[in-house]
Amino acid sequence: MNNEFEEKGYKLIDLNLGFEDLIVKTFEECIRANNFQPQPNQNKIVSPDSIDIYMEILTSIVHRDYITPIVEKETDLKLIPTYCFVRKYFQGS
């Protein structure tokens, strides 16, 4: 089997599954419903201000049930469960 991942150590995989708009809407609703506000980043290394959500539900489902199996198949590896982290950047980020 010709495994590009084994040969090169990386493989480009198209993960545009059509969930992008729904994920953005869900993230925005989570921000609205919880009244999240940008927190100033004191070290300014990553972003001047951002809103970060750990394990946002839709992103977690897409990651676990859709993306992980695709990456496992394409790399012939069994991946260790991990977490999702989504961030909204603002102008100047």
Side-chain angles (χ1 to χ4, degrees), residues 19 22-24 26-27 55-63:
F19 297 114
L22 186 56
I23 289 171
V24 169
T26 303
F27 181 72
M55 296 301 285
E56 186 278 318
I57 191 70
L58 180 60
T59 305
S60 298
I61 291 168
V62 170
H63 179 264

Short mmCIF file of all heavy atoms in Angstrom, two decimals, residues 19 22-24 26-27 55-63:
data_model
loop_
_atom_site.label_atom_id
_atom_site.label_comp_id
_atom_site.label_asym_id
_atom_site.label_seq_id
_atom_site.Cartn_x
_atom_site.Cartn_y
_atom_site.Cartn_z
N PHE A 19 -19.54 21.46 7.13
CA PHE A 19 -20.06 21.85 8.44
C PHE A 19 -19.61 23.25 8.85
O PHE A 19 -20.01 23.74 9.91
CB PHE A 19 -19.59 20.88 9.53
CG PHE A 19 -20.08 19.47 9.36
CD1 PHE A 19 -19.20 18.45 9.08
CD2 PHE A 19 -21.42 19.18 9.49
CE1 PHE A 19 -19.64 17.14 8.93
CE2 PHE A 19 -21.88 17.88 9.34
CZ PHE A 19 -20.99 16.86 9.05
N LEU A 22 -22.28 25.91 9.78
CA LEU A 22 -23.02 25.50 10.97
C LEU A 22 -22.15 25.64 12.23
O LEU A 22 -22.63 26.08 13.28
CB LEU A 22 -23.50 24.06 10.83
CG LEU A 22 -24.41 23.53 11.93
CD1 LEU A 22 -25.64 24.40 12.11
CD2 LEU A 22 -24.80 22.09 11.63
N ILE A 23 -20.87 25.31 12.12
CA ILE A 23 -19.96 25.46 13.26
C ILE A 23 -19.84 26.93 13.64
O ILE A 23 -19.89 27.28 14.82
CB ILE A 23 -18.58 24.84 12.95
CG1 ILE A 23 -18.70 23.31 12.94
CG2 ILE A 23 -17.53 25.30 13.97
CD1 ILE A 23 -17.46 22.59 12.44
N VAL A 24 -19.70 27.80 12.65
CA VAL A 24 -19.60 29.24 12.94
C VAL A 24 -20.88 29.72 13.63
O VAL A 24 -20.82 30.44 14.63
CB VAL A 24 -19.32 30.05 11.65
CG1 VAL A 24 -19.49 31.55 11.90
CG2 VAL A 24 -17.93 29.75 11.12
N THR A 26 -23.06 27.98 15.38
CA THR A 26 -23.15 27.40 16.72
C THR A 26 -22.21 28.11 17.68
O THR A 26 -22.57 28.41 18.82
CB THR A 26 -22.81 25.90 16.67
OG1 THR A 26 -23.70 25.26 15.76
CG2 THR A 26 -22.95 25.25 18.04
N PHE A 27 -21.00 28.41 17.22
CA PHE A 27 -20.03 29.12 18.04
C PHE A 27 -20.55 30.51 18.40
O PHE A 27 -20.51 30.92 19.56
CB PHE A 27 -18.70 29.22 17.29
CG PHE A 27 -17.61 29.91 18.04
CD1 PHE A 27 -16.99 29.30 19.12
CD2 PHE A 27 -17.18 31.16 17.66
CE1 PHE A 27 -15.97 29.93 19.81
CE2 PHE A 27 -16.17 31.81 18.35
CZ PHE A 27 -15.56 31.18 19.42
N MET A 55 -13.95 22.62 24.06
CA MET A 55 -14.93 21.55 23.87
C MET A 55 -16.33 22.06 23.52
O MET A 55 -17.33 21.54 24.02
CB MET A 55 -14.98 20.64 25.10
CG MET A 55 -13.68 19.89 25.37
SD MET A 55 -13.12 18.83 24.03
CE MET A 55 -14.23 17.45 24.17
N GLU A 56 -16.42 23.05 22.65
CA GLU A 56 -17.72 23.48 22.13
C GLU A 56 -18.38 22.25 21.51
O GLU A 56 -17.74 21.49 20.80
CB GLU A 56 -17.53 24.61 21.12
CG GLU A 56 -18.81 25.25 20.62
CD GLU A 56 -19.46 24.47 19.50
OE1 GLU A 56 -18.74 23.99 18.60
OE2 GLU A 56 -20.68 24.31 19.53
N ILE A 57 -19.65 22.04 21.76
CA ILE A 57 -20.29 20.74 21.51
C ILE A 57 -20.30 20.32 20.04
O ILE A 57 -19.92 19.19 19.72
CB ILE A 57 -21.72 20.69 22.13
CG1 ILE A 57 -22.27 19.26 22.11
CG2 ILE A 57 -22.66 21.63 21.43
CD1 ILE A 57 -21.58 18.34 23.06
N LEU A 58 -20.71 21.19 19.12
CA LEU A 58 -20.76 20.78 17.72
C LEU A 58 -19.36 20.51 17.17
O LEU A 58 -19.13 19.52 16.48
CB LEU A 58 -21.48 21.83 16.86
CG LEU A 58 -21.57 21.48 15.38
CD1 LEU A 58 -22.34 20.18 15.16
CD2 LEU A 58 -22.20 22.61 14.60
N THR A 59 -18.42 21.37 17.49
CA THR A 59 -17.05 21.18 17.03
C THR A 59 -16.50 19.86 17.57
O THR A 59 -15.81 19.13 16.85
CB THR A 59 -16.16 22.35 17.47
OG1 THR A 59 -16.75 23.56 17.01
CG2 THR A 59 -14.77 22.23 16.93
N SER A 60 -16.81 19.55 18.81
CA SER A 60 -16.34 18.29 19.41
C SER A 60 -16.92 17.08 18.69
O SER A 60 -16.20 16.10 18.44
CB SER A 60 -16.72 18.24 20.89
OG SER A 60 -16.10 19.27 21.59
N ILE A 61 -18.18 17.13 18.32
CA ILE A 61 -18.82 16.02 17.60
C ILE A 61 -18.22 15.86 16.22
O ILE A 61 -17.90 14.74 15.80
CB ILE A 61 -20.35 16.23 17.53
CG1 ILE A 61 -20.96 16.08 18.92
CG2 ILE A 61 -20.98 15.24 16.55
CD1 ILE A 61 -22.41 16.54 19.02
N VAL A 62 -18.06 16.96 15.50
CA VAL A 62 -17.46 16.89 14.16
C VAL A 62 -16.05 16.34 14.25
O VAL A 62 -15.64 15.47 13.47
CB VAL A 62 -17.49 18.27 13.46
CG1 VAL A 62 -16.67 18.26 12.19
CG2 VAL A 62 -18.92 18.70 13.17
N HIS A 63 -15.29 16.81 15.22
CA HIS A 63 -13.92 16.34 15.42
C HIS A 63 -13.88 14.84 15.71
O HIS A 63 -13.15 14.09 15.07
CB HIS A 63 -13.29 17.14 16.56
CG HIS A 63 -11.90 16.76 16.90
ND1 HIS A 63 -11.60 15.88 17.91
CD2 HIS A 63 -10.71 17.15 16.38
CE1 HIS A 63 -10.30 15.73 17.99
NE2 HIS A 63 -9.74 16.50 17.08
#
